[in-house]
Amino acid sequence: VLVFAGLMVLVWIPYFMVDLNVLYRHGLTNEFGLKWTRRGLIALGIAIGLVGAFENGVSEIGNFIHNLSAPLMGLFVIILAFSLRRLIPGLSREAYITSYFLGAALVVGVAFVMIGYFNTAGITIFGAAIAFTWLALFVDTVEQEAAQLEPPPV
């Protein structure tokens, strides 16, 4: 399932970039934001796919790739969430607050692992729920903003 999700994120990026380019044309983001948002989403899609492609507990290399990709997936979302204002400075205040809140929730999840409150399954479920929630809200926010700036033809 995660391999398919990672591929879907990678295939979907060009379509998302159409909306992000609308924001660029209207001055709500800049070339830096376009470039690094695309790179961050590509990295996220690859990490999601690798987590699914290499099951934990099957082989040494599989364990290594899985155990490297899973935290990287969370890290990429944390970086995107906390850098959203720099990447796309023209979004609403609510978009940034929500992004910071979800990024902070991921950081709290990591802290819970460090103190032994979450086990591997717990942080996997918690982290994936927060990460995919952030991604869905981010995409929806950019799509709505683009539709307001340049309404699609009827």
Side-chain angles (χ1 to χ4, degrees), residues 76-120:
F76 294 145
V77 172
I78 289 169
I79 291 169
L80 286 167
F82 285 119
S83 63
L84 188 60
R85 184 180 294 274
R86 174 117 167 87
L87 295 172
I88 310 173
L91 294 179
S92 68
R93 182 174 181 262
E94 292 81 14
Y96 301 125
I97 291 171
T98 303
S99 186
Y100 297 153
F101 176 78
L102 292 171
L106 281 173
V107 172
V108 167
V110 171
F112 281 171
V113 169
M114 294 170 77
I115 64 171
Y117 187 74
F118 278 167
N119 62 10
T120 303

Side-chain angles (χ1 to χ4, degrees), residues 9-118:
V9 169
L10 292 172
V11 167
W12 155 86
I13 289 171
Y15 298 100
F16 171 76
M17 293 308 293
V18 170
D19 288 335
L20 197 57
N21 276 305
V22 171
L23 273 58
Y24 175 72
R25 283 193 300 275
H26 290 273
L28 298 180
T29 189
N30 50 39
E31 288 186 35
F32 176 85
L34 285 175
K35 178 174 63 173
W36 285 102
T37 301
R38 182 184 313 108
R39 288 177 179 175
L41 292 173
I42 289 169
L44 179 61
I46 291 170
I48 292 168
L50 287 174
V51 169
F54 294 93
E55 189 176 332
N56 198 19
V58 175
S59 68
E60 287 295 318
I61 189 73
N63 288 347
F64 176 76
I65 294 172
H66 180 90
N67 292 334
L68 177 66
S69 300
L72 281 176
M73 184 178 85
L75 180 64
F76 294 145
V77 172
I78 289 169
I79 291 169
L80 286 167
F82 285 119
S83 63
L84 188 60
R85 184 180 294 274
R86 174 117 167 87
L87 295 172
I88 310 173
L91 294 179
S92 68
R93 182 174 181 262
E94 292 81 14
Y96 301 125
I97 291 171
T98 303
S99 186
Y100 297 153
F101 176 78
L102 292 171
L106 281 173
V107 172
V108 167
V110 171
F112 281 171
V113 169
M114 294 170 77
I115 64 171
Y117 187 74
F118 278 167

